Amino acid sequence: MWYVIEGYDGADVLAQRLAARPQHLARLTALRDGGRLLLAGPCPAIDAEDPGPAGFSGSVVIAEFESLQDARAWADADPYVAAGVYQRVEVRPFRKVLP
C-alpha cells in the first residue's frame, strides 16, 4: 500500500538539512530503484523554487510499504530525523487515484 510521509522542519535547520541530505537522498534512491517511490521532495519555506537561506518547511514522500508500521519505521530511521531537521513526522495511508 502507498503511504504519505510528511516531515516538518524545525526552526533554523537548513545547515543540518544540507549536511544530512546525501544520506536522505540515498534512502529515497533505494526506494525508487525498488519501484516503491511515487514521489518525494521538499517544501520551500517561501513561494520560490529555490528558497535560499529561507530553507524549507518540510518534505513529502509517497512510497509503498507492506504496512503502516513499516512506513513509520522507515520514516523514523530517516537521516533528517537523526540530524534534528524534522521536529515531527506524520505517516498515513495514501490511495493513488490520478494520474
Side-chain angles (χ1 to χ4, degrees):
M1 181 166 186
W2 295 105
Y3 294 89
V4 61
I5 300 168
E6 292 182 275
Y8 296 87
D9 285 19
D12 300 317
V13 295
L14 184 57
Q16 295 98 302
R17 177 182 266 274
L18 294 174
R21 188 170 189 263
Q23 296 86 3
H24 173 78
L25 290 179
R27 297 178 80 232
L28 293 171
T29 299
L31 285 177
R32 182 201 64 199
D33 292 351
R36 298 174 44 209
L37 183 64
L38 184 61
L39 67 85
C43 301
I46 60 173
D47 189 13
E49 183 73 22
D50 179 358
F56 300 90
S57 62
S59 302
V60 175
V61 174
I62 300 178
E64 188 175 36
F65 294 93
E66 290 291 321
S67 67
L68 180 59
Q69 181 178 349
D70 288 345
R72 284 186 175 141
W74 186 91
D76 288 345
D78 193 289
Y80 284 172
V81 171
V85 174
Y86 292 156
Q87 68 178 359
R88 78 178 197 279
V89 177
E90 295 181 8
V91 181
R92 61 187 183 279
F94 178 79
R95 190 178 76 162
K96 182 181 179 213
V97 174
L98 293 171

